[in-house]
Amino acid sequence: QDQLVESGGGSVQAGGSLRLSCTASRYIITNQCMGWFRQTPGKEREGLAAISTGDTWTYYADSVKGRFTISKDRAKTTLYLQMNTLKPEDTAMYYCAAQNRDVCTGASRPAEYQYWGQGTQVTVSS
């Protein structure tokens, strides 16, 4: 099963928090580099965070560093994105993705990811 399914999006006021979840097969969670992206209409998809197969390496975009945390729960085959201190500019469709390799390559580049979820909407109001 190569399907990725996001959940946890919603509406929140600025300063609030949300935790996004991405369920996937155990093989993907434990053997492939995974990441989170977001996109707003008319803009390119932005790479936010990525995590290596052994959870020993993570990447964060400057726009979310210190506010967002990527993590995994292998027991439940789930990838998380904890989002704190949300801002109106964080409003977007959020996607999880997986690379077809164990070592993260080009963590922020959408073209490096072969598997994608359908997205979950996050709306932050001021």
Side-chain angles (χ1 to χ4, degrees), residues 18-21 36 48-51 58-61 64-72 79-86:
L18 283 174
R19 189 176 75 164
L20 305 183
S21 299
W36 285 97
L48 303 177
I51 187 166
T58 55
Y59 158 82
Y60 293 98
V64 303
K65 196 173 296 181
R67 300 189 298 124
F68 291 10
T69 303
I70 189 171
S71 64
K72 297 178 189 176
L79 176 75
Y80 298 107
L81 185 68
Q82 177 67 43
M83 306 187 296
N84 299 328
T85 319
L86 284 162

Side-chain angles (χ1 to χ4, degrees), residues 59-125:
Y59 158 82
Y60 293 98
D62 288 342
S63 58
V64 303
K65 196 173 296 181
R67 300 189 298 124
F68 291 10
T69 303
I70 189 171
S71 64
K72 297 178 189 176
D73 180 348
R74 285 197 181 87
K76 298 180 179 180
T77 65
T78 304
L79 176 75
Y80 298 107
L81 185 68
Q82 177 67 43
M83 306 187 296
N84 299 328
T85 319
L86 284 162
K87 306 174 182 179
E89 52 263 44
D90 293 319
T91 295
M93 185 71 79
Y94 284 70
Y95 301 88
C96 70
Q99 295 191 1
N100 196 19
R101 57 177 73 92
D102 55 353
V103 176
C104 290
T105 302
S108 66
R109 295 197 294 265
E112 297 292 342
Y113 292 78
Q114 289 73 42
Y115 304 100
W116 291 86
Q118 83 289 348
T120 186
Q121 177 68 36
V122 171
T123 302
V124 184
S125 58

Side-chain angles (χ1 to χ4, degrees), residues 24-76:
S25 70
R26 182 175 297 274
Y27 179 84
I28 288 179
I29 293 288
T30 57
N31 292 284
Q32 297 180 206
C33 169
M34 299 196 71
W36 285 97
F37 291 76
R38 68 186 178 191
Q39 189 171 24
T40 55
K43 292 189 177 181
E44 294 186 354
R45 195 163 291 190
E46 176 189 11
L48 303 177
I51 187 166
S52 65
T53 53
D55 301 357
T56 56
W57 178 89
T58 55
Y59 158 82
Y60 293 98
D62 288 342
S63 58
V64 303
K65 196 173 296 181
R67 300 189 298 124
F68 291 10
T69 303
I70 189 171
S71 64
K72 297 178 189 176
D73 180 348
R74 285 197 181 87
K76 298 180 179 180

